[in-house]
Amino acid sequence: MISPAWLGRLEALQHKVRAEGLYRTRRLLEGRQGVRVHMDGRALTNFSSNDYLGLAGDPRLEQALIEGAAKYGVGSGASHLICGHSAAHHRLEEELADFLGRDRALLFSTGYMANLGVLSALIGRNDLVFEDRLNHASLLDGAQLSGAKLKRYAHGAMPEVAAVQGPFSLIASDGVFSMDGDLMEGKSLASVASSAGAILMVDDAHGIGVLGQRGAGILEVQGLEQDEVPVLVGTLGKALGTFGAFVAGPEALIDFLIQKARTYIYTTAMPAAIAEATRTSLGLVQQESWRREHLKSLVSRFRAGAKTLGLVIGASDTPIQPIMVGDAQLAMSVQSRLLEAGFLVVAIRPPTVPKGTARLRCTLTAGHVAEDVDRLLEALSVCPELSQSNV
Ligand SMILES: *Cc1c(COP(=O)(O)O)cnc(C)c1O
């Protein structure tokens, strides 16, 4: 039983969250993920998923999953180090490493766990970790868990890493910032890291599959090699359309993580069938470059239209196109109005983004057509709240 004191404490917190307009609820998805979704009994055009290439509902991935399950069963049975590491997992790791031009890759069950595992394995109490203020929560949480001294630098700035002997330093950055869509300054970060003897870790959750001619992500676009960015984290649940994550880098790093990363060691391996579906999607990422080209043209179309309407949008050329509103309650009312008009564009509020920067995080995917973008812009043009936005 929860004691009255505990209940009182929970209720007080909930009350505060509601009063600030920050209460969170979930929407019920009925049926398949994609551009056309059925949610809470409504048919909506979805502008909120991270399924940037439109692969999450692709029948070819589904087929690979079914065949994978027929071959390996559903559950993986154990962690990778006990008896859960299948040939499917192993091949996917090799294919990811090849695709990204890295010695090796190591699968994790989620991106959140990859970041926690890598940071807490690589650094500890006597070390320093430098992070962009707008880094994903999992990079910040990983730093906390590691016990290293965390220094957060202003978004887009350069960390001041002294070339000292003594503490080891690690710089961690999102490749594409998840709520803003802008890019890290990878070349500058790599040169700061290299002159200070620090290790650079990049989380390219939103770049893999999307950025670069080959879809190899931010490091392809910015021309960064394994030497410059030894630790690359990527997720499989976004552009790749499946589930899970990986770390890719030098042999010595991967071997070390197998020994030391607790979120790798003490958890069940992802189902092998998921690895099989991901192998199929990794092939499609490489073969179907039209998805990236189409996405780019949608991004340009959206940005041009939003500028014409006078909307405040982010400085982003990626599929993440935040429409800035400022006030959290105001963002919620734009979200409701768009839902009424048949669009899912989820409002993102503190603490996910800094106070006073609530926004509609609009994302485009290769599954959209130009008309979807035009219809969303039309709906935005008749939102009275957007002219009151205080950013
Ligand atoms: C989504 C995301 C993660 C977490 O990945 P999951 O596989 O969803 O746990 C990590 N980092 C960034 C930047 C992300 O956007």
Side-chain angles (χ1 to χ4, degrees):
M1 197 189 99
I2 304 185
S3 72
W6 265 104
L7 262 184
R9 172 174 164 156
L10 301 186
E11 276 162 13
L13 282 171
Q14 292 292 66
H15 182 77
K16 183 167 178 285
V17 165
R18 279 183 198 275
E20 289 170 343
L22 301 179
Y23 189 73
R24 301 177 191 251
T25 57
R26 301 169 302 171
R27 286 155 288 272
L28 199 67
L29 173 68
E30 293 152 85
R32 191 173 287 261
Q33 185 57 252
V35 166
R36 316 289 157 210
V37 290
H38 281 269
M39 222 166 225
D40 290 346
R42 273 198 273 222
L44 298 170
T45 303
N46 184 0
F47 282 96
S48 280
S49 87
N50 300 316
D51 177 26
Y52 301 119
L53 297 181
L55 290 172
D58 191 293
R60 293 166 292 181
L61 268 61
E62 199 179 315
Q63 191 56 36
L65 185 89
I66 291 166
E67 285 167 19
K71 184 164 175 191
Y72 294 98
V74 175
S76 61
S79 67
H80 284 275
L81 288 172
I82 302 299
C83 60
H85 185 65
S86 71
H89 294 114
H90 203 72
R91 289 193 198 109
L92 174 59
E93 288 182 344
E94 289 170 350
E95 288 162 10
L96 283 166
D98 272 356
F99 173 57
L100 297 165
R102 303 193 147 237
D103 296 353
R104 271 180 85 179
L106 186 69
L107 293 176
F108 279 76
S109 291
T110 69
Y112 191 99
M113 290 169 70
N115 283 335
L116 255 55
V118 170
L119 286 164
S120 59
L122 285 178
I123 49 176
R125 272 228 312 252
N126 300 317
D127 303 324
L128 294 172
V129 54
F130 297 82
E131 297 210 17
D132 189 292
R133 279 203 173 274
L134 296 189
N135 272 357
H136 190 262
S138 56
L139 284 172
L140 296 162
D141 293 356
Q144 298 281 355
L145 182 65
S146 75
K149 190 167 164 54
L150 171 61
K151 296 183 174 246
R152 297 175 75 180
Y153 55 89
H155 177 51
M158 283 301 120
E160 288 175 24
V161 192
V164 285
Q165 289 181 336
F168 283 91
S169 298
L170 183 148
I171 304 171
S173 180
D174 280 21
V176 176
F177 287 88
S178 53
M179 297 299 135
D180 295 77
D182 56 338
L183 308 182
M184 69 167 183
E185 300 275 347
K187 277 284 177 197
S188 310
L189 285 172
S191 96
V192 168
S194 125
S195 48
I199 197 168
L200 179 57
M201 167 177 183
V202 170
D203 174 353
D204 201 23
H206 300 275
I208 295 287
V210 175
L211 300 182
Q213 207 122 52
R214 299 173 50 245
I218 185 101
L219 302 188
E220 182 190 344
V221 171
Q222 298 191 344
L224 290 160
E225 303 292 331
Q226 176 172 284
D227 283 351
E228 296 163 283
V229 183
V231 189
L232 171 63
V233 173
T235 59
L236 307 173
K238 289 172 179 152
L240 275 97
T242 60
F243 184 79
F246 64 86
V247 180
E251 178 69 40
L253 168 82
I254 301 302
D255 197 45
F256 176 82
L257 292 176
I258 294 172
Q259 315 310 314
K260 286 284 179 198
R262 295 170 66 85
T263 60
Y264 180 77
I265 300 168
Y266 297 109
T267 202
T268 302
M270 70 163 73
I274 293 285
E276 285 293 82
T278 308
R279 294 180 61 212
T280 297
S281 89
L282 187 60
L284 295 175
V285 162
Q286 294 167 82
Q287 289 147 27
E288 300 188 345
S289 55
W290 64 263
R291 291 176 186 274
R292 282 182 289 283
E293 283 147 31
H294 177 54
L295 192 48
K296 256 192 192 161
S297 79
L298 295 172
V299 169
S300 308
R301 192 178 187 95
F302 174 81
R303 292 188 65 76
K307 275 184 193 151
T308 307
L309 293 179
L311 301 178
V312 184
I313 51 175
S316 156
D317 292 319
T318 67
I320 302 167
Q321 292 292 326
I323 304 163
M324 305 306 289
V325 178
D327 179 69
Q329 307 268 21
L330 207 56
M332 290 305 281
S333 46
V334 181
Q335 173 183 294
S336 311
R337 202 174 286 277
L338 291 173
L339 279 173
E340 290 299 321
F343 299 97
L344 179 69
V345 191
V346 173
I348 305 286
R349 298 163 288 168
T352 307
V353 293
K355 249 196 158 126
T357 72
R359 67 203 63 187
L360 291 141
R361 180 178 179 271
C362 174
T363 53
L364 301 164
T365 79
H368 288 115
V369 292
E371 203 204 339
D372 293 321
V373 172
D374 295 349
R375 283 176 39 238
L376 173 66
L377 287 164
E378 251 171 65
L380 287 165
S381 74
V382 294
C383 273
E385 293 87 355
L386 285 172
S387 50
Q388 304 164 30
S389 81
N390 48 358
V391 282

